[in-house]
Amino acid sequence: MVSSSRVDPDAAAATGPATAGADTATGTGTTSPAADSLVDWSRVRLGVDAAPTMFIATWSPDTCRWDGGELVPYGPLSLLPAAQVLNYGQSIFEGLKAYRYEGCSASTAEHRVVLFRPEANAARFEAGAHRMCMPPVPPAMFLAAVQAVARANAAWVPPAARGSLYIRPLLLGTGPLLGLCPAPSYTFLVYAVPVGGRAKEGRLAPLDYLIHESRHRAAPRGVGSTKAAGNYSPCLLAQAEARAQGCHDCIYLDAKSDTYLEEGSGCNIFVAHGSVVTTPPAAGSILPGITRASLLQLAVALGYDVREAPISWKEALQADEMFGSGTALVVQPISSVTFKGRRVAFCRTSTTNGTTANAGELSAVNGHANGNGQTNGYANGNGCMNFAANSDSSEVEGEAAEPKGDAGAAAAAAAAAAIGDDCESAGLSYRFGGKTAAELRPEERAALVTFAPVPEPASLPPGVGPIAHRLYALLTGIQYGRAPDPFGWTVKIDMRGPTGTSPSLPQAHNIGY
């Protein structure tokens, strides 16, 4: 069951700034969603100070099942040096967020705190456990634990304008052993950290990315599609190498041919050519992102031609705009990509005379322009940059042009087959369930389009394309309750359950696993 364990007020306060006026005798105010006083957000370091209550459950080989789990103060775990996770890395995780609807405060409208698509995280967590030979957490238990942590820390959900509460479920092989085999016992825990918003002063900030030539994120038929902990630390060296070239992060190519984009260190990748939005298929080496799946549906609802298909680096260099997606990033515009020592910039701001200022340059990384300081590209109607297919500057030096027409279609089909047997190159191949854009009523589509109209090109920051702008506005609008949610993605936190400070719980709140 989810326990009603009382939170030690000293331990809770030690995790970060306490709420003003907290009752030091009972701990209410630090964890209770009905607290009379709010968290002092001027003292909270967003992304650093953890919320004071976490959930923990264990799986024992004696029972071969999960215990009910309990809410406890956020704090250290007790692990033996021989724990499997420390020696062999048997671990998966998830990331999701709780949002406070705009106009709601922690003391008057707790029921307006929502989770975004938690059932999708539960499904991916269960699949990841199977892939890593771990006992899966039943989706109902996963959802109950996430709800319990969000409810217990409801006062720590930032105001809508400040950010969200990032919730991190972990599944760890904590039993001790020295042989390479599954752990004898496991720990499932959920903790939370308030984080800030991505758009500062309402404006997205684009970033520069490196298309990495010499390192791969994941191998075909490996664990790239699993949110395994071991997938992420190997990205640190590639990130450092990207930063050494003046980029924020990197995009990886496929491990078979070094031709097709896969994903970033922590984000899925999208490119846009006109009204066509393409993302690589969520095959065996690419994580099926939940934000990714949501953006695909929103793009369809907004009238874009959406495709899941292999994207060669040559096609990426010819894109009108590029952006990444993820729970933490939401939508991250990519202002430029660097490949083989050349940088291609996207989406520069249009000038009043219809030309494009500083648009779409293809230059050496050291900042030198080409011979006459011009490019051979042309601006499209959105003020973004296309590179002409027959332009020498649209290709990195020494490479052949991308095949066009029937030859291009044949090459794309061959690429889909080359990426892997489990790759579906047509349609929306990966779904987490729920209503799709094709199932929306005309009035529901119209409401989404009205909320996120096509922006004026001059209104966008340099490097931010109109599609990324619209998708970010619409997705965050749904998450914060500003936009309609015809998909039913937001789930209200049930405030009637345990918060970790009540003296007892009715049996109705038992999870029973």
Side-chain angles (χ1 to χ4, degrees):
M1 60 176 286
V2 175
S3 169
S4 59
S5 301
R6 181 182 299 276
V7 175
D8 177 358
D10 294 331
T15 66
T19 52
D23 183 341
T24 56
T26 65
T28 56
T30 57
T31 59
S32 172
D36 294 330
S37 302
L38 304 180
V39 172
D40 183 357
W41 291 107
S42 66
R43 297 173 57 198
V44 173
R45 297 167 296 170
L46 294 175
V48 176
D49 291 321
T53 303
M54 68 180 188
F55 172 91
I56 191 165
T58 58
W59 186 94
S60 167
D62 297 330
T63 62
C64 291
R65 64 179 302 191
W66 290 101
D67 64 20
E70 60 180 347
L71 291 170
V72 299
Y74 176 84
L77 300 178
S78 177
L79 294 178
L80 292 171
Q84 207 275 11
V85 67
L86 299 180
N87 291 271
Y88 304 112
Q90 195 180 22
S91 173
I92 61 172
F93 68 95
E94 276 298 321
L96 66 159
K97 290 179 178 178
Y99 299 85
R100 190 177 305 283
Y101 273 13
E102 285 197 345
C104 300
S105 68
S107 61
T108 61
E110 301 86 7
H111 63 285
R112 302 291 295 205
V113 175
V114 300
L115 297 167
F116 183 74
R117 305 194 71 176
E119 76 292 338
N121 294 94
R124 192 169 65 181
F125 201 65
E126 184 179 32
H130 283 295
R131 178 63 181 86
M132 299 296 288
C133 291
M134 307 171 83
V137 175
M141 181 180 184
F142 178 97
L143 294 171
V146 168
Q147 281 262 352
V149 169
R151 177 171 54 245
N153 298 299
W156 285 70
V157 181
R162 297 287 301 274
S164 56
L165 184 68
Y166 185 89
I167 300 173
R168 171 57 60 87
L170 290 168
L171 181 55
L172 309 173
T174 46
L177 82 167
L178 288 181
L180 181 55
C181 58
S185 57
Y186 296 85
T187 299
F188 167 49
L189 63 95
V190 184
Y191 69 96
V193 180
V195 295
R198 292 291 300 172
K200 305 305 179 185
E201 299 179 355
R203 293 170 70 85
L204 285 170
L207 298 175
D208 300 308
Y209 276 65
L210 172 75
I211 299 179
H212 216 294
E213 303 175 56
S214 59
R215 302 191 188 280
H216 297 118
R217 176 187 172 272
R221 302 180 184 176
V223 293
S225 61
T226 300
K227 211 165 176 66
N231 286 343
Y232 293 85
S233 288
C235 295
L236 297 177
L237 180 58
Q239 285 181 325
E241 292 167 342
R243 288 166 184 155
Q245 296 192 42
C247 299
H248 175 80
D249 206 337
C250 58
I251 299 169
Y252 297 89
L253 295 173
D254 73 286
K256 281 188 175 180
S257 67
D258 280 330
T259 301
Y260 302 98
L261 304 190
E262 292 221 320
E263 60 181 283
S265 299
C267 65
N268 294 118
I269 297 297
F270 292 77
V271 301
H273 296 81
S275 63
V276 179
V277 179
T278 308
T279 190
S285 56
I286 295 177
L287 183 74
I290 295 165
T291 304
R292 170 190 179 276
S294 304
L295 294 180
L296 289 174
Q297 297 297 339
L298 293 179
V300 171
L302 292 178
Y304 294 106
D305 181 1
V306 176
R307 302 177 183 178
E308 286 188 271
I311 304 168
S312 71
W313 60 261
K314 296 175 184 177
E315 292 171 317
L317 297 185
Q318 297 171 2
D320 293 327
E321 63 176 293
M322 184 182 295
F323 54 92
S325 71
T327 299
L329 295 174
V330 188
V331 176
Q332 177 56 65
I334 297 174
S335 57
S336 77
V337 293
T338 297
F339 186 55
K340 294 183 181 294
R342 296 285 177 171
R343 177 170 293 166
V344 176
F346 308 107
C347 300
R348 294 311 191 194
T349 305
S350 292
T351 61
T352 55
N353 63 7
T355 62
T356 302
N358 214 15
E361 73 254 28
L362 180 63
S363 63
V365 176
N366 62 13
H368 294 298
N370 60 18
N372 57 10
Q374 302 295 319
T375 66
N376 293 321
Y378 60 92
N380 65 16
N382 291 323
C384 297
M385 200 65 193
N386 268 323
F387 282 94
N390 60 358
S391 168
D392 290 340
S393 68
S394 67
E395 303 292 343
V396 172
E397 291 180 342
E399 300 292 343
E402 183 74 7
K404 305 298 177 184
D406 294 339
I419 286 177
D421 296 337
D422 55 352
C423 168
E424 294 183 27
S425 61
L428 303 183
S429 63
Y430 197 103
R431 284 185 51 199
F432 288 104
K435 184 185 286 188
T436 68
E439 298 167 332
L440 298 181
R441 299 190 303 273
E443 59 270 25
E444 291 175 324
R445 283 186 178 232
L448 295 175
V449 172
T450 299
F451 183 85
V454 178
E456 289 293 330
S459 69
L460 298 175
V464 178
I467 299 176
H469 175 86
R470 296 183 76 192
L471 292 175
Y472 178 84
L474 189 51
L475 183 58
T476 56
I478 290 172
Q479 291 167 336
Y480 287 120
R482 298 190 296 260
D485 178 17
F487 300 97
W489 287 340
T490 56
V491 176
K492 289 183 179 180
I493 301 298
D494 182 1
M495 292 299 173
R496 297 170 298 175
T499 65
T501 59
S502 304
S504 62
L505 293 179
Q507 290 298 308
H509 291 299
N510 291 359
I511 292 179
Y513 292 97

